Structure formats: C-alpha cells, structure tokens
Amino acid sequence: MVLELEWVLRAFYGFATEDFARVVKHLLGLPNVSVEEWSRIADALTWHLEGLDFADALHLLASGHCTEFMSIDDRRFARRAKRVGATPAVVVPAR
C-alpha cells in the first residue's frame, strides 16, 4: 500500500520526496492506521530522503538477509545504494 501511495503522490500529484515522507509519517502515526514492518518503511523513507528510489529502498531492505542484491542493469541504483551505506551490496553483473 505504501509503495502504491508513493507512486500516486509522485506521478499524479507531483509530490517531492520530502512531502511524501511527511505524509507517510503522518498517516502511519495515526492511531487507527497499522502497517506491517513499520521499521522497514521508516528505514526506506530515510534512504529515500538520501537519494534512493523508494521502491528500490523497500526491495533492498526486504533482502537484508542476503549477501548481495543483484540488479540487471541499474548502475545508478548501485551507486546510490553504496553512497547511503545500504546493505546488502547492490551488484550489477558485468556484460
């Protein structure tokens, strides 16, 4: 649900990263709203605010038990993940 919310707010309403993060923190702080793995979403928001795509951040955090995260051809994602200190390391195979 949060991933779809990010997509709609960004793509259709032109929300900036900071505005999206503020909306999510507000919504998830409401007493009648519950979300599985709130800490993962909070960490993804942090990485998103530091330059990672929100979906990439969520997927990377979900693979925390892995030694590597393989990306077919997204060198920009690999560079940004390294810059924010994300683990596991994002690896782009050589062609």
Side-chain angles (χ1 to χ4, degrees), residues 21-43:
R22 191 172 22 261
V23 165
V24 169
K25 287 177 183 178
H26 173 75
L27 286 174
L28 299 180
L30 295 174
N32 294 330
V33 174
S34 64
V35 174
E36 291 180 29
E37 300 190 45
W38 162 240
S39 62
R40 184 179 295 171
I41 293 171
D43 290 343

Side-chain angles (χ1 to χ4, degrees), residues 60-72:
L60 190 54
L61 285 160
S63 65
H65 61 285
C66 299
T67 57
E68 295 179 327
F69 185 98
M70 300 296 284
S71 177
I72 300 298

Side-chain angles (χ1 to χ4, degrees), residues 40 43-48 52-63 77:
R40 184 179 295 171
D43 290 343
L45 284 174
T46 298
W47 284 352
H48 186 48
L52 264 170
D53 177 78
F54 186 68
D56 288 341
L58 280 177
H59 293 132
L60 190 54
L61 285 160
S63 65
F77 171 36

